Amino acid sequence: MAQNVLLKIEHVTKIYGRKDRQFTAVKDINLAIHEGEFVALLGPSGCGKSTLLRMITGLIEPTSGTVYYRDKPIKGVNPYATIVFQTFALYPWLTVLENVALALEARGVARSERYRIAERLLDTVGLDGFEKAYPRELSGGMRQKVGFARALAVEPELLCLDEPFSALDVLSAEALRGELMELWIGEQLPIKAILMVSHNIEEAISMADRIVVMGKEPGHIVAEFAVDLPHPRDRKNPRFEQLLDYIYAAIAGRTLPEISEVGTAPGTPGPTRILPNASVNALAGLLEHLRTSGRQDIYKLDDELGLDMGDLIQVIEMAEMLGFATINEGDIELTPLGEAYAEASILTRKELFAQRARRLPMLQWMIQMLKVAPNNELPWKVFLTALLPEFPDEMAERQLDIAINWGRYAELIDYDDDNELIRLDLSNGRFEVESEVQKAR
Ligand code: ADP
Ligand code: MG
């Protein structure tokens, strides 16, 4: 590519934690972003996308390797790059205009100038007339626009977007994507390049010039795709569909040996595989659909199941993790076990699900702890505390919620809401033979 290189990442590795609690979030990443480029970073949750953005903007330092901006290694915060996050923390007691002006104040822009520039920026993102409104009076989409305006106030050369649309409803997200693209294509923004993190394949194909696909454990680059389609892009274009297939295959197509598929238990060496955030109902919906449709193109499933791509990926991961489906070159297909599940009665389904779910290290670990606990019960907090070193705070809580939901459905564990206690579900004989503690009584 002929354009100037803005950003260059060389052999970057990030390891979180210390000593025996080390976790490699990304490993040996090499990447360059050129002037005029819109690059999308795509990959499953936990593959280190946000980590990479935080290193690019200088919020955190790589453990090894170097991030260069215009050929100079970044030291501390990168003044040429800004991040727009999924949800923007706006100051509730300040008006929209004041929220944007504040970012300019931080840059040392004179008071008289601040409000003039802030007004222009709000105009640019389509918030003309809302200057005096307070954040609470705005819709999610409008609040996110204020976030964009505030990021632009810093006049970054490189605008980093971390899943900027994923907290919005479908329509607002689509509208905001369109507006951003108009500004970018129309060269109405002062920025020189965009790097957008996404877990939505269609979103990435419809916006970016180049898509970098990451895999996890540890985070690494799997593949790159150039999107050679004119704007505005048509999702029905065969090339668009082909890219969807290729990229999906790159993300989910690799079949790993079982130990890395299911991960290890919390507190043991090796990565604890993140449980996808999907419900048993969604799983049943997917498997029933596949039973009638047979082998299917994954990207067609979001419409057919009424799920967005993000949710769909989660359900598919769940099906794959439990051994109910396999993925190959962008297609998904039931395994014989998945077929059995889809055809079974409610009770048999529960049984099949329980057999598979209890093999997952996370649930195995919980069950093991409960087996040896007094009365086979433990406070929810005990599990949360054990998970905190493995995941960032809110993720630990979400992981525990998912494990509880799956475990409850499988009748492996029970959750006592009033006392915040998790206990072994002994009502159905699933643990009759095994529960040493029970036998001893
Ligand atoms: P993504 O944005 O792709 O979902 P992240 O960059 O947020 O991924 O996280 C990558 C991995 O690093 C995850 O497994 C996550 O649990 C872990 N991680 C992220 N931040 C921290 C942190 N501050 N301390 C320890 N582990 C972290
Ligand atoms: Mg992230």
Side-chain angles (χ1 to χ4, degrees):
M1 196 164 292
Q3 296 107 313
N4 296 331
V5 174
L6 277 187
L7 181 92
K8 196 166 66 184
I9 298 171
E10 272 184 6
H11 302 299
V12 160
T13 293
K14 178 70 193 177
I15 299 173
Y16 287 115
R18 272 172 301 170
K19 292 184 201 145
D20 55 326
R21 279 252 167 255
Q22 290 201 337
F23 178 80
T24 306
V26 296
K27 192 171 174 192
D28 197 23
I29 303 270
N30 293 292
L31 180 70
I33 295 172
H34 304 81
E35 226 170 271
E37 256 193 322
F38 187 142
V39 177
L41 264 184
L42 205 58
S45 62
C47 72
K49 303 182 295 294
S50 298
T51 298
L52 215 50
L53 283 199
R54 289 201 290 269
M55 290 191 286
I56 289 168
T57 49
L59 297 177
I60 57 172
E61 264 181 45
T63 308
S64 63
T66 316
V67 178
Y68 296 91
Y69 196 83
R70 290 195 185 277
D71 289 333
K72 295 205 180 66
I74 294 175
K75 295 240 162 19
V77 173
N78 179 351
Y80 301 102
T82 310
I83 304 191
V84 173
F85 294 101
Q86 190 179 96
T87 49
F88 236 88
L90 299 173
Y91 298 105
W93 59 88
L94 297 181
T95 63
V96 162
L97 187 68
E98 288 163 343
N99 262 290
V100 178
L102 197 66
L104 292 156
E105 183 177 351
R107 273 182 62 212
V109 176
R111 191 181 178 77
S112 54
E113 284 282 277
R114 268 179 235 155
Y115 286 89
R116 203 178 48 74
I117 299 173
E119 243 169 82
R120 201 195 63 223
L121 287 168
L122 287 170
D123 227 11
T124 309
V125 298
L127 281 179
D128 194 16
F130 289 93
E131 294 85 353
K132 299 249 151 40
Y134 286 90
R136 64 170 180 279
E137 302 170 69
L138 304 181
S139 67
M142 285 157 88
R143 277 199 293 270
Q144 195 64 345
K145 286 184 184 182
V146 182
F148 273 103
R150 212 163 70 173
L152 295 175
V154 187
E155 291 196 7
E157 286 190 343
L158 175 62
L159 181 64
C160 297
L161 308 172
D162 196 349
E163 308 202 7
F165 310 108
S166 59
L168 302 176
D169 63 273
V170 178
L171 288 180
S172 315
E174 199 47 40
L176 198 50
R177 279 183 203 115
E179 285 173 45
L180 175 65
M181 285 320 286
E182 257 180 53
L183 293 173
W184 169 245
I185 302 286
E187 300 185 358
Q188 291 170 53
L189 297 175
I191 49 187
K192 299 223 155 71
I194 299 181
L195 176 60
M196 177 179 78
V197 160
S198 171
H199 62 244
N200 181 331
I201 305 176
E202 282 191 48
E203 171 180 291
I205 302 178
S206 67
M207 299 175 82
D209 305 313
R210 188 153 59 96
I211 296 175
V212 176
V213 177
M214 294 180 67
K216 57 185 179 182
E217 292 167 5
H220 62 286
I221 292 178
V222 177
E224 281 197 25
F225 298 87
V227 187
D228 42 9
L229 289 164
H231 288 282
R233 290 179 180 154
D234 176 8
R235 282 163 203 229
K236 299 211 171 63
N237 184 320
R239 175 69 183 148
F240 196 110
E241 303 206 341
Q242 192 183 39
L243 277 166
L244 271 172
D245 263 356
Y246 286 166
I247 294 174
Y248 199 93
I251 293 183
R254 300 150 303 138
T255 308
L256 301 166
E258 174 148 276
I259 180 71
S260 54
E261 273 291 308
V262 297
T264 61
T268 58
T272 302
R273 174 145 178 199
I274 294 170
L275 297 178
N277 191 4
S279 70
V280 173
N281 277 339
L283 175 77
L286 171 70
L287 300 182
E288 281 162 16
H289 182 87
L290 291 174
R291 183 186 164 215
T292 40
S293 71
R295 189 180 168 120
Q296 259 269 33
D297 267 326
I298 282 164
Y299 73 85
K300 288 193 183 135
L301 279 171
D302 49 354
D303 280 346
E304 286 171 15
L305 293 170
L307 294 170
D308 75 26
M309 197 70 195
D311 291 338
L312 178 64
I313 290 183
Q314 305 267 331
V315 192
I316 288 176
E317 270 189 41
M318 179 179 185
E320 203 191 15
M321 191 180 230
L322 292 165
F324 290 142
T326 52
I327 289 156
N328 232 315
E329 291 171 357
D331 288 348
I332 179 167
E333 183 170 33
L334 287 181
T335 60
L337 191 70
E339 259 166 52
Y341 180 98
E343 286 165 17
S345 66
I346 291 176
L347 274 179
T348 311
R349 282 184 178 186
K350 213 184 252 295
E351 198 62 48
L352 285 172
F353 184 89
Q355 283 167 17
R356 304 299 295 185
R358 65 189 301 174
R359 294 172 61 253
L360 299 175
M362 174 84 87
L363 277 158
Q364 227 172 50
W365 165 75
M366 289 173 76
I367 290 166
Q368 220 46 54
M369 302 241 296
L370 292 170
K371 273 187 184 169
V372 295
N375 300 321
N376 299 118
E377 63 184 25
L378 283 171
W380 173 86
K381 269 259 175 320
V382 168
F383 290 98
L384 184 68
T385 311
L387 288 176
L388 282 175
E390 307 259 340
F391 305 106
D393 290 10
E394 31 166 83
M395 190 187 241
E397 204 166 322
R398 195 160 359 114
Q399 285 292 299
L400 191 51
D401 276 350
I402 297 168
I404 291 173
N405 280 334
W406 294 11
R408 275 179 118 169
Y409 165 75
E411 297 181 3
L412 294 166
I413 57 175
D414 213 348
Y415 182 61
D416 172 350
D417 222 348
D418 296 331
N419 303 304
E420 301 198 328
L421 282 173
I422 299 176
R423 57 174 72 96
L424 216 51
D425 188 341
L426 299 167
S427 65
N428 48 48
R430 297 222 202 282
F431 300 105
E432 235 162 33
V433 226
E434 302 160 57
S435 177
E436 301 302 320
V437 178
Q438 284 304 106
K439 259 198 292 185
R441 277 185 200 146

